Amino acid sequence: MVRKRSGRANARDKSEINQMPWAQLTNRLKPTEVLSQDEVENIHQNSLRLLAEVGMVMHDPKAREILKRAGCDVDTDTLRVRFDPAFIDEQIAKAPSSFTLRSRNPTRDLTFGGNNINFTSVVGPAFCSDLDKGRRRGNTEDVRNYVRLIQSINTIHLIYGTPFEAMDIPAEVRHLEGYYHGIELTDKVWASWLLGRYRADDGIDMACMLFGTDRDGLKENPACIGNINTNSPLILDAEMTQGAMAFAECGQAVIVTPFTLSGAMAPATLSGALVGQNAEALACIALLQTINPGTPCIYGSFTSNADMRTGSPAFGTPEYAMGAFASGQLARRHNLPWRSSNACTANSVDAQAAYESQMSIWSTVMSHCNMIIHGGGWMEGGLTASFEKLIIDAEMLQMMSYMLRPIDTSDEAMGVEAYKEVGPGGHFFGAADTMKRYETAFYNPIVSDWRNYESWEEGGSLTTEQNANRVWKKMLETYEQPEIDPELLKDLRGFVDQRKQEVLSGVRNT
Amino acid sequence: MVRKRSGRANARDKSEINQMPWAQLTNRLKPTEVLSQDEVENIHQNSLRLLAEVGMVMHDPKAREILKRAGCDVDTDTLRVRFDPAFIDEQIAKAPSSFTLRSRNPTRDLTFGGNNINFTSVVGPAFCSDLDKGRRRGNTEDVRNYVRLIQSINTIHLIYGTPFEAMDIPAEVRHLEGYYHGIELTDKVWASWLLGRYRADDGIDMACMLFGTDRDGLKENPACIGNINTNSPLILDAEMTQGAMAFAECGQAVIVTPFTLSGAMAPATLSGALVGQNAEALACIALLQTINPGTPCIYGSFTSNADMRTGSPAFGTPEYAMGAFASGQLARRHNLPWRSSNACTANSVDAQAAYESQMSIWSTVMSHCNMIIHGGGWMEGGLTASFEKLIIDAEMLQMMSYMLRPIDTSDEAMGVEAYKEVGPGGHFFGAADTMKRYETAFYNPIVSDWRNYESWEEGGSLTTEQNANRVWKKMLETYEQPEIDPELLKDLRGFVDQRKQEVLSGVRNT
């Protein structure tokens, strides 16, 4: 039994928010592997067979035309494109194994590939929630506060300007405000929407303005990234295709993420879902490489399983973790950077939310995932962005970041001299070596409460969720908007306003 | 964004408790390593230097005498024993790299070593807690219910008969009732207390009765296991020594766990704590091998760090995880099985409790820990055993067990034929292959609630803790006491009653 001490300071000062400094994260450990090389190859070969024999339905005519010109077998009745295995392998080989995106703060440029890890916040929910106002439809004010938090959290590398939907803005122009939030409120790389060519083009245009460059300049030093999903099984819709093609033409980064939910959109086996995921991701990446060889692409994985009793998707499951390990191996086989997610199924910001997220975080980090989307705030299988969960996820991500640091094994750190000073039965609290290291010796939590039971009870018996509520409010109070040229911001505002008018009156493309 | 479906069955039937069947768990994955081989060796060499230059205070005179006879340098004034590095290496080489403990149900024999994993429940707290009665001092009724739950949870391999203290029983004889609970209420391997020779001897005597054998027979087929802790830094007290020596003489398994809390009982560096842990564990194991070469020993690790602001021990921290990875490497260097814990600091059964436990579980499992003590129920740095946390831990342990299974990569599982049947855009719910696999395709949770938000809300918006409360009550209702010869049980009861009388009247040793 271990007695916790009340010690030096009974109550933790809640006004301080402990964070590790911003840093591009790398994983120095060997990736965990669940498949043999033969099994990886076997999954890949089955994917190639799927693409050759069943093919993929491509709803966009231009995409079909490009693939036809490149020698693929296109069936104009069924819209199916069948791919020769050699074509897939050849195109995939053209994609870079690693690439860098520039940020307006050059210290926040991000590299994707190798053993780099990049975390984003949640993106996409229609709802947001916090302990004060409950679960509700997202609006602009909530979104902007959430973006301020994402900027403030050092362990989140990448911004989605609408981490959840601002339902007070028409859907067609929501992306424009999102891009603007990303630029105005943060100095991190911000991501674009690839739902239709015009949303992609708007992202590119705003990036050109931000960096004072044109499309050629942006192509040389890419700054934009966006994600497309397939409609699993084996469909790529027209809007996603058009957005992705716009990015490929301009050399901006595209993540291709099949939604292979085992038992629903994929067979009720993990390997069956991986075969589908691999086929769909590679077919789309092959298309983008055909359009512009060398387009930075990220192999996306979202493989999980349906709960066969309810039909609901289940995330943060053992299958999800096994799928992440296997996806990392597949991506490395293809020499492609890869993405996954910090996903959970839980409806309440409680133990289940944490252990499901930990299943996602551990498995993706330990299998060298390069981009972990939904890193902070995701709840309910992606339906809600929680303010408290964002803080709790930040803690979990930061713990992983800290854990990946090397262990100091210098002679001094080994402490034989300190042991000699203290002697058997002595206490290291007052040792010279301890006093020297005191402040920075160990991980400092963002939200974890390490007080003993009595102090915790005196402090109101707060749960992690309640503590997180205090942390995000404090973080909002201390948020500092990064500096930006006011003229540039005015120009960007002008662009957004003009484009909103154009889009709402039917002019979608620039 | 992912929409959760309400689907086939809106409400999950809470009367069923899903569990994977009992199995000895193995980890087929490569262990995660955070240190180079040079660094491992360097830590070991510093430990040897510590044992040679500072030495360890041994409070037990017999232990000092044994070590003196074996050539160690014993200082009779300071009680310090200084060890020659060659002596340590020589003795450690005598310990088996793997051993098996028999259970009264032979299908529940357990092997410790290699890539085996064994989980126990929490052990040691003075308090227990549940949602109905709150936090309270443990008593016999609570303890017996907890033991029934541990027996019912398939993923817990090993029993402590008093997972928390039954404060209604005098401390001196509490172990006897604990052993009796282990035998009466469970058919799993049960662990003994090594605090003083008489508690160890009582465990051995009851095991002899249970297996109808004598000490020689038990020595041939060991069944008992117990843990000793050092008083870090560098002290081994007399009671622990005497208990461990009794076990060593009889060839029963001893876990040696230093309590090297970095910044308090060890230097304020992780490597410094590991040097101390390694020195203390090896010195004690060397003693036991000197007494009886081949005694099954387990290298124990409990290295974590103090919260330097409060002095409280912090568990489930990044340092804890790094320490676990490193400890696994050290244990493998010594060819010894090793133990660690599922520890957390949290006071509330909430997100923090789950993410801290996940830090402990993932790091210990991924570094091939052979025995994870405190696997289920531990709260508050070890002060309280929670009924709800036990269920939540069971879920987390079971998820890990499931995750370690191989992925089926047979041609049939790869599902190309299922894809052909379903076609692009189709749904796998009704596919022939899915119907065949439906029932057993995926992980079934014990306590996780995967319903969509609306169904969850209709069901009362229960937290994981509340769901866990329902699960353990249901588990108690459906608990089945394993069969045992009533005559044997009567004899054991007689032994316990007699020994209680003897011990309370001052006769401690058999």
Side-chain angles (χ1 to χ4, degrees):
Chain A
M1 191 181 59
V2 179
R3 300 225 157 263
K4 291 205 284 182
R5 302 154 52 94
S6 49
R8 296 184 187 181
N10 256 339
R12 181 176 156 209
D13 180 4
K14 289 286 172 190
S15 70
E16 72 185 84
I17 294 168
N18 297 303
Q19 284 201 73
M20 288 167 66
W22 161 275
Q24 166 96 61
L25 184 61
T26 55
N27 184 351
R28 67 191 184 86
L29 308 177
K30 279 194 193 140
T32 302
E33 307 204 322
V34 295
L35 299 171
S36 69
Q37 281 314 304
D38 282 353
E39 287 172 324
V40 171
E41 206 48 40
N42 202 7
I43 289 174
H44 179 59
Q45 292 305 325
N46 273 278
S47 304
L48 293 179
R49 212 188 120 202
L50 199 58
L51 289 175
E53 294 177 19
V54 182
M56 192 152 177
V57 168
M58 295 267 185
H59 280 156
D60 184 67
K62 197 173 159 198
R64 290 198 303 273
E65 195 191 310
I66 290 167
L67 289 169
K68 190 170 185 172
R69 273 208 310 270
C72 296
D73 170 23
V74 176
D75 183 325
T76 44
D77 291 336
T78 60
L79 312 184
R80 283 205 208 184
V81 181
R82 290 185 174 80
F83 299 84
D84 187 71
F87 172 79
I88 295 284
D89 283 341
E90 193 182 300
Q91 296 305 317
I92 296 305
K94 294 178 184 165
S97 61
S98 173
F99 60 88
T100 297
L101 295 182
R102 61 201 289 215
S103 174
R104 74 177 174 89
N105 175 346
T107 67
R108 297 194 163 188
D109 289 358
L110 296 176
T111 298
F112 298 80
N115 63 359
N116 282 309
I117 308 174
N118 299 282
F119 297 122
T120 79
S121 79
V122 62
V123 54
F127 299 94
C128 69
S129 74
D130 65 55
L131 273 182
D132 304 294
K133 296 188 207 162
R135 186 180 189 256
R136 58 196 185 272
R137 285 176 174 274
N139 65 29
T140 298
E141 192 197 340
D142 286 330
V143 162
R144 286 176 63 83
N145 280 336
Y146 215 83
V147 172
R148 289 185 182 103
L149 293 175
I150 301 169
Q151 165 68 10
S152 304
I153 295 171
N154 288 338
T155 194
I156 294 187
H157 301 90
L158 201 74
I159 295 276
Y160 275 92
T162 55
F164 47 92
E165 299 291 316
M167 305 291 270
D168 52 339
I169 302 175
E172 301 87 334
V173 295
R174 228 172 260 160
H175 65 288
L176 285 157
E177 292 294 349
Y179 302 163
Y180 187 78
H181 301 153
I183 296 171
E184 183 198 13
L185 302 177
T186 91
D187 62 356
K188 300 181 180 179
V189 170
W190 46 273
S192 298
W193 278 251
L194 302 187
L195 193 65
R197 178 173 281 271
Y198 78 105
R199 289 189 177 92
D201 275 335
D202 287 338
I204 289 170
D205 288 343
M206 288 177 76
C208 285
M209 290 172 74
L210 179 63
F211 293 104
T213 188
D214 58 12
R215 291 190 169 224
D216 286 339
L218 203 64
K219 202 169 179 173
E220 212 159 301
N221 292 301
C224 300
I225 186 166
N227 181 78
I228 63 167
N229 295 108
T230 56
N231 287 357
S232 306
L234 298 167
I235 294 182
L236 182 62
D237 78 19
E239 281 201 297
M240 288 285 187
T241 315
Q242 289 153 12
M245 291 199 305
F247 259 39
E249 288 159 19
C250 190
Q252 305 303 294
V254 181
I255 310 155
V256 180
T257 311
F259 186 23
T260 37
L261 195 70
S262 189
M265 292 87 106
T269 60
L270 186 54
S271 58
L274 290 167
V275 164
Q277 165 191 298
N278 194 58
E280 295 173 17
L282 294 189
C284 298
I285 294 173
L287 166 66
L288 301 177
Q289 297 302 322
T290 309
I291 290 167
N292 177 15
T295 295
C297 287
I298 295 183
Y299 178 93
S301 157
F302 207 73
T303 289
S304 195
N305 60 290
D307 173 10
M308 298 305 275
R309 284 168 308 191
T310 63
S312 293
F315 294 105
T317 60
E319 286 84 0
Y320 187 86
M322 294 157 95
F325 288 130
S327 297
Q329 291 188 254
L330 285 161
R332 282 191 295 281
R333 185 226 168 265
H334 309 317
N335 264 321
L336 291 172
W338 77 285
R339 83 148 267 210
S340 191
S341 309
N342 168 12
C344 67
T345 323
N347 295 303
S348 170
V349 182
D350 60 6
Q352 184 184 336
Y355 66 66
E356 288 178 338
S357 271
Q358 283 281 36
M359 289 296 284
S360 303
I361 293 170
W362 270 88
S363 59
T364 51
V365 167
M366 295 313 263
S367 52
H368 282 205
C369 187
N370 301 110
M371 184 176 188
I372 298 173
I373 301 189
H374 310 300
W378 158 300
M379 289 295 297
E380 298 172 29
L383 282 180
T384 289
S386 155
F387 279 72
E388 285 81 20
K389 177 75 166 9
L390 176 62
I391 300 301
I392 291 170
D393 281 325
E395 181 86 274
M396 294 194 278
L397 300 178
Q398 189 178 263
M399 285 199 295
M400 291 302 284
S401 308
Y402 192 97
M403 195 190 76
L404 295 175
R405 303 185 333 166
I407 296 174
D408 180 359
T409 54
S410 63
D411 275 348
E412 204 198 346
M414 296 272 205
V416 173
E417 295 311 314
Y419 278 104
K420 284 185 180 173
E421 178 195 342
V422 166
H427 211 290
F428 286 83
F429 260 129
D433 188 71
T434 307
M435 297 315 285
K436 205 173 64 189
R437 298 176 189 274
Y438 180 84
E439 301 262 349
T440 56
F442 306 122
Y443 179 76
N444 273 320
I446 297 172
V447 68
S448 295
D449 191 332
W450 287 348
R451 290 178 295 177
N452 64 17
Y453 186 86
E454 291 71 23
S455 305
W456 170 77
E457 206 175 25
E458 278 164 32
S461 305
L462 299 185
T463 63
T464 320
E465 190 179 17
Q466 291 169 316
N467 282 323
N469 181 270
R470 294 208 287 192
V471 170
W472 71 254
K473 285 175 184 169
K474 185 75 202 170
M475 212 177 246
L476 269 190
E477 274 171 35
T478 55
Y479 163 79
E480 284 179 38
Q481 189 166 318
E483 275 183 35
I484 188 166
D485 175 7
E487 284 305 310
L488 173 58
L489 207 55
K490 212 170 129 190
D491 289 350
L492 284 160
R493 184 75 253 168
F495 176 88
V496 166
D497 289 341
Q498 187 194 323
R499 284 291 298 140
K500 279 169 81 173
Q501 277 197 342
E502 287 174 7
V503 172
L504 290 174
S505 63
V507 184
R508 299 237 158 152
N509 294 329
T510 45
Chain B
M1 189 179 62
V2 178
R3 299 225 158 263
K4 291 203 285 180
R5 303 154 52 94
S6 49
R8 297 185 187 180
N10 256 339
R12 180 178 156 208
D13 180 4
K14 289 288 174 189
S15 71
E16 72 185 86
I17 294 167
N18 298 301
Q19 284 202 74
M20 289 167 66
W22 161 276
Q24 165 96 62
L25 184 61
T26 55
N27 184 351
R28 66 190 185 88
L29 308 176
K30 278 193 193 142
T32 302
E33 307 204 320
V34 295
L35 299 171
S36 70
Q37 280 315 304
D38 282 353
E39 287 171 326
V40 171
E41 206 48 40
N42 203 6
I43 288 174
H44 179 59
Q45 291 305 324
N46 273 276
S47 303
L48 293 180
R49 211 186 121 203
L50 200 57
L51 289 176
E53 295 178 18
V54 182
M56 192 150 176
V57 168
M58 296 268 184
H59 279 156
D60 184 67
K62 196 174 159 198
R64 289 198 304 274
E65 195 193 309
I66 289 166
L67 290 168
K68 188 168 185 176
R69 272 207 311 268
C72 297
D73 171 22
V74 176
D75 183 325
T76 44
D77 290 336
T78 61
L79 312 185
R80 284 204 207 185
V81 181
R82 290 185 174 80
F83 298 83
D84 187 71
F87 173 77
I88 294 286
D89 282 342
E90 195 181 300
Q91 296 305 317
I92 297 305
K94 295 178 184 166
S97 60
S98 173
F99 61 87
T100 297
L101 295 182
R102 60 200 290 212
S103 173
R104 76 175 172 89
N105 175 345
T107 66
R108 298 194 162 186
D109 289 358
L110 296 175
T111 298
F112 298 79
N115 64 358
N116 282 309
I117 308 175
N118 299 283
F119 298 122
T120 79
S121 78
V122 62
V123 54
F127 299 94
C128 70
S129 74
D130 66 55
L131 274 181
D132 304 292
K133 298 189 206 159
R135 185 180 189 258
R136 59 196 184 271
R137 286 177 175 272
N139 65 29
T140 298
E141 192 197 337
D142 285 330
V143 161
R144 286 177 63 84
N145 280 335
Y146 215 82
V147 172
R148 289 185 181 102
L149 293 174
I150 302 168
Q151 165 69 9
S152 304
I153 296 170
N154 288 339
T155 193
I156 294 186
H157 300 91
L158 200 75
I159 295 277
Y160 274 93
T162 55
F164 47 92
E165 299 292 315
M167 306 290 269
D168 53 339
I169 301 176
E172 299 88 332
V173 295
R174 228 173 259 158
H175 65 286
L176 286 157
E177 292 294 347
Y179 301 163
Y180 187 77
H181 302 153
I183 295 170
E184 182 196 14
L185 302 177
T186 91
D187 62 356
K188 300 180 180 178
V189 171
W190 47 272
S192 299
W193 278 252
L194 302 187
L195 193 66
R197 179 173 280 272
Y198 79 105
R199 289 190 177 90
D201 274 335
D202 287 338
I204 289 171
D205 287 342
M206 288 177 75
C208 285
M209 290 172 73
L210 179 62
F211 293 103
T213 187
D214 57 13
R215 291 191 168 221
D216 286 339
L218 204 64
K219 201 168 180 177
E220 212 159 302
N221 292 301
C224 300
I225 186 166
N227 180 80
I228 63 166
N229 295 110
T230 56
N231 288 356
S232 305
L234 297 168
I235 294 182
L236 182 61
D237 76 21
E239 282 201 297
M240 289 285 188
T241 314
Q242 289 153 13
M245 292 199 304
F247 259 39
E249 287 160 19
C250 190
Q252 304 304 293
V254 180
I255 311 156
V256 180
T257 312
F259 186 22
T260 38
L261 195 70
S262 189
M265 292 86 105
T269 60
L270 185 55
S271 58
L274 290 167
V275 165
Q277 166 191 298
N278 194 58
E280 295 173 16
L282 295 188
C284 298
I285 294 173
L287 166 65
L288 301 177
Q289 296 304 321
T290 308
I291 291 167
N292 177 16
T295 294
C297 287
I298 295 184
Y299 178 94
S301 157
F302 206 75
T303 290
S304 194
N305 61 290
D307 174 12
M308 298 306 274
R309 286 169 309 194
T310 64
S312 292
F315 294 105
T317 60
E319 286 85 359
Y320 187 86
M322 295 157 93
F325 288 131
S327 297
Q329 291 188 255
L330 284 161
R332 283 191 294 282
R333 185 224 168 268
H334 310 318
N335 264 321
L336 291 172
W338 77 285
R339 83 148 269 211
S340 190
S341 308
N342 167 11
C344 68
T345 323
N347 295 303
S348 170
V349 181
D350 60 5
Q352 182 184 335
Y355 65 67
E356 289 178 337
S357 270
Q358 283 281 38
M359 289 295 284
S360 303
I361 294 170
W362 270 88
S363 58
T364 50
V365 167
M366 297 311 264
S367 51
H368 281 204
C369 188
N370 300 110
M371 184 176 187
I372 298 174
I373 300 190
H374 308 302
W378 158 301
M379 289 294 298
E380 300 172 28
L383 282 180
T384 290
S386 155
F387 280 74
E388 286 81 21
K389 176 74 168 6
L390 176 62
I391 300 302
I392 291 170
D393 281 324
E395 182 85 275
M396 295 195 278
L397 299 179
Q398 189 179 262
M399 287 200 293
M400 293 303 283
S401 309
Y402 193 97
M403 195 190 78
L404 295 175
R405 303 184 334 164
I407 297 174
D408 180 359
T409 53
S410 63
D411 274 350
E412 204 199 344
M414 295 272 206
V416 172
E417 296 311 315
Y419 278 105
K420 284 185 180 173
E421 177 193 341
V422 166
H427 211 289
F428 286 83
F429 259 128
D433 188 72
T434 307
M435 296 315 284
K436 205 174 61 187
R437 298 176 189 273
Y438 179 86
E439 302 260 349
T440 56
F442 305 123
Y443 179 76
N444 274 320
I446 297 172
V447 68
S448 296
D449 191 332
W450 288 348
R451 291 177 294 177
N452 64 16
Y453 186 85
E454 291 72 22
S455 305
W456 171 77
E457 207 175 24
E458 278 164 31
S461 305
L462 299 184
T463 63
T464 319
E465 191 180 15
Q466 291 169 315
N467 282 325
N469 182 270
R470 293 207 287 191
V471 170
W472 71 253
K473 286 176 184 166
K474 185 76 202 167
M475 212 176 249
L476 269 191
E477 274 170 35
T478 55
Y479 162 79
E480 284 179 37
Q481 190 166 318
E483 275 182 35
I484 187 167
D485 174 7
E487 284 305 309
L488 173 59
L489 207 55
K490 210 170 130 190
D491 290 349
L492 285 159
R493 184 74 253 168
F495 177 88
V496 166
D497 290 341
Q498 185 195 327
R499 285 291 300 140
K500 281 170 78 173
Q501 277 197 341
E502 286 174 6
V503 172
L504 290 173
S505 62
V507 185
R508 301 235 155 153
N509 293 329
T510 45

